[in-house]
Amino acid sequence: MAILNILKFPDPRLRTRAEPVAAVDAAIDRLVGDLLETLYQAPGIGLAASQVNVHKRVIVLDLSEAKDDPLVLINPQLELSGELVETDEGCLSVPGFYEPVTRRAHTSVKALDRQGKPFSMQADGLLSVCIQHECDHLEGKLFVDYLSNLKRTRIQKKLLKSQRADA
């Protein structure tokens, strides 16, 4: 397994729409392992393949404190319901920023697991928010897209300045 480089906003590759996974094979299993290792190293609670410049419909999540309960969603399909809830969100691709984002409270998910078996699940609370956030990445969308132009531009300028200083 390998720790992958996480793309940082405003990298245009983050805007690429991910392609469906045709077959869950050894390459996808290796990608899932690399995504989990990268997620735990970061550290974070969710990571989409798009964030590491692999434009396949794969996300990994782990909300457990011990980081020992990973959830893998391949080709996820969402159905959102419930009231709108506002939650502070952050992102490994937008490091250091947390802003309120409004999303639906409940998520129904159909996906393939790491072995390629179909399953469905219900999520609410933080898990629902995290699934929606990571699935946005698969569509080339970031949480900053939910913010005002002013806030998004300010975050972009700060990140670009930070990236130049690190280079």
Side-chain angles (χ1 to χ4, degrees):
M1 287 190 284
I3 295 174
L4 306 172
N5 182 47
I6 298 172
L7 301 176
K8 304 292 189 265
F9 176 72
D11 192 311
R13 295 172 292 179
L14 288 166
R15 300 304 186 172
T16 304
R17 190 170 191 276
E19 296 292 325
V21 172
V24 178
D25 55 16
I28 294 299
D29 186 60
R30 192 168 37 258
L31 173 62
V32 168
D34 291 347
L35 286 171
L36 286 168
E37 188 168 342
T38 303
L39 175 69
Y40 295 142
Q41 175 69 29
I45 59 173
L47 186 65
S50 297
Q51 290 176 269
V52 297
N53 202 32
V54 177
H55 302 288
K56 297 288 184 186
R57 298 187 74 77
V58 178
I59 64 174
V60 298
L61 310 129
D62 192 338
L63 279 60
S64 69
E65 285 189 35
K67 299 300 179 199
D68 60 357
D69 191 22
L71 174 62
V72 176
L73 301 174
I74 299 170
N75 295 337
Q77 297 174 310
L78 305 186
E79 188 174 309
L80 307 176
S81 62
E83 68 278 3
L84 293 172
V85 293
E86 187 176 85
T87 308
D88 277 353
E89 289 188 26
C91 181
L92 295 173
S93 291
V94 189
F97 293 89
Y98 297 88
E99 295 289 339
V101 175
T102 301
R103 297 189 184 271
R104 291 288 174 182
H106 304 287
T107 307
S108 297
V109 183
K110 291 181 182 176
L112 302 176
D113 67 13
R114 190 172 183 171
Q115 289 73 42
K117 295 184 178 113
F119 74 100
S120 60
M121 62 177 283
Q122 305 293 316
D124 56 13
L126 181 58
L127 180 58
S128 175
V129 168
C130 192
I131 290 170
Q132 292 174 65
H133 175 109
E134 298 308 329
C135 284
D136 273 355
H137 281 296
L138 302 180
E139 299 300 326
K141 188 171 185 176
L142 301 170
F143 89 96
V144 294
D145 297 338
Y146 293 93
L147 306 178
S148 70
N149 284 335
L150 179 65
K151 275 189 179 180
R152 186 171 45 257
T153 301
R154 190 174 18 166
I155 289 170
Q156 180 175 334
K157 284 180 181 177
K158 286 181 180 179
L159 285 173
L160 285 171
K161 183 177 178 181
S162 173
Q163 290 167 14
R164 281 192 299 269
D166 292 343

